[in-house]
Amino acid sequence: MLIDKGWAIIKGVCRKEQIEDIESLIEHNNTSENKKFFLFPRNLFKHQVIKPIIQLMHKEAEEFTEYSKLKLDKIWFVHTLNENSKDGELPYVPHFDKRRYLKLMVYLTDVSEFDGPFTTASVPVVLNEEKRLKLEKNSAEENLIVDKINYKKITLKAGDGIIFDTNCPHYASPVDVGGERKILRLDFQKMQWNDHLDSFNRRILKRII
């Protein structure tokens, strides 16, 4: 079970023509100067190109994890080259996320060890939960992983994906010169996972107002 390991590989999420359609959709809708990053607006969640992938990934997420009532929060596209990689900084150092998500990452390009593969360790997701729940009063560095554990670089073909609980230690390996990584990432969450952070933010906002 993913809850014991923290991550799992999903083969064949997207076909070649689906990847081409996704990149075409992003190119058409990304009006920002930064073409290497795109946060999907919610109105695109129902687009005919993206909707089947969301449905498949939602189904896979609940089957792999046995988590129920998962809610899709965000969809990201990220294109990373060597010049974008910042070795020694988040997300390029081992960490767990302050906000807990179940993330599903689809590789839109073949990713070898030179292309900055997602890198993770097999750890029960409960191990970092207590520490994570205390992070609202701590500095950002508190979610870094300093323990010496065995990490695995997840190299996959375009169209394959990985599902992981962000309580699992993970990081993005830097992209080598000449390499590249394009990914589509879907962030799911259960509402109670981040209630403590949302209530904390509401208290701060109330004080400001």
Side-chain angles (χ1 to χ4, degrees), residues 4 10 18 40 42 45 100 110 115 133 159 186 207:
D4 299 317
I10 307 174
Q18 285 180 297
F40 279 68
R42 298 198 71 85
F45 287 16
R100 185 179 179 186
D110 292 348
D115 299 306
L133 292 174
L186 291 78
R207 291 175 189 172

Side-chain angles (χ1 to χ4, degrees), residues 68-121:
S68 60
K69 298 181 180 179
L70 287 167
K71 179 183 177 182
L72 178 60
D73 187 51
K74 299 181 184 71
I75 304 177
W76 308 85
F77 164 78
V78 183
H79 180 195
T80 310
L81 303 172
N82 173 259
E83 54 264 35
N84 310 127
S85 300
K86 297 182 180 180
D87 198 6
E89 299 181 12
L90 285 171
Y92 299 98
V93 291
H95 65 282
F96 61 90
D97 289 8
K98 184 174 182 178
R99 293 188 68 90
R100 185 179 179 186
Y101 287 101
L102 186 71
K103 294 184 178 180
L104 294 99
M105 188 181 300
V106 184
Y107 287 4
L108 302 181
T109 51
D110 292 348
V111 176
S112 70
E113 289 193 6
F114 305 104
D115 299 306
F118 173 79
T119 305
T120 188

Side-chain angles (χ1 to χ4, degrees), residues 10-162:
I10 307 174
K11 292 284 191 176
V13 177
C14 294
R15 302 183 305 276
K16 181 180 178 181
E17 56 269 27
Q18 285 180 297
I19 293 175
E20 293 173 351
D21 288 342
I22 290 169
E23 292 193 316
S24 178
L25 178 67
I26 293 168
E27 183 178 0
H28 180 74
N29 286 275
N30 188 1
T31 57
S32 168
E33 292 184 4
N34 183 2
K35 301 302 182 183
K36 292 183 169 52
F37 177 86
F38 181 62
L39 173 62
F40 279 68
R42 298 198 71 85
N43 65 294
L44 286 184
F45 287 16
K46 295 183 179 180
H47 192 280
Q48 61 183 0
V49 170
I50 289 295
K51 188 175 180 179
I53 297 171
I54 292 175
Q55 292 173 334
L56 172 63
M57 297 301 265
H58 200 162
K59 179 175 179 289
E60 294 284 3
E62 294 192 340
E63 288 184 354
F64 267 87
T65 62
E66 293 188 355
Y67 298 156
S68 60
K69 298 181 180 179
L70 287 167
K71 179 183 177 182
L72 178 60
D73 187 51
K74 299 181 184 71
I75 304 177
W76 308 85
F77 164 78
V78 183
H79 180 195
T80 310
L81 303 172
N82 173 259
E83 54 264 35
N84 310 127
S85 300
K86 297 182 180 180
D87 198 6
E89 299 181 12
L90 285 171
Y92 299 98
V93 291
H95 65 282
F96 61 90
D97 289 8
K98 184 174 182 178
R99 293 188 68 90
R100 185 179 179 186
Y101 287 101
L102 186 71
K103 294 184 178 180
L104 294 99
M105 188 181 300
V106 184
Y107 287 4
L108 302 181
T109 51
D110 292 348
V111 176
S112 70
E113 289 193 6
F114 305 104
D115 299 306
F118 173 79
T119 305
T120 188
S122 299
V123 173
V125 299
V126 298
L127 291 184
N128 287 317
E129 182 65 358
E130 183 177 354
K131 185 175 181 181
R132 185 188 73 86
L133 292 174
K134 296 177 180 178
L135 284 180
E136 65 175 24
K137 296 181 181 179
N138 292 338
S139 64
E141 288 73 23
E142 291 297 324
N143 65 331
L144 301 185
I145 304 291
V146 296
D147 301 332
K148 291 184 177 180
I149 51 181
N150 294 322
Y151 286 92
K152 178 178 177 61
K153 293 184 177 182
I154 309 300
T155 58
L156 296 170
K157 294 293 185 181
D160 293 337
I162 180 166

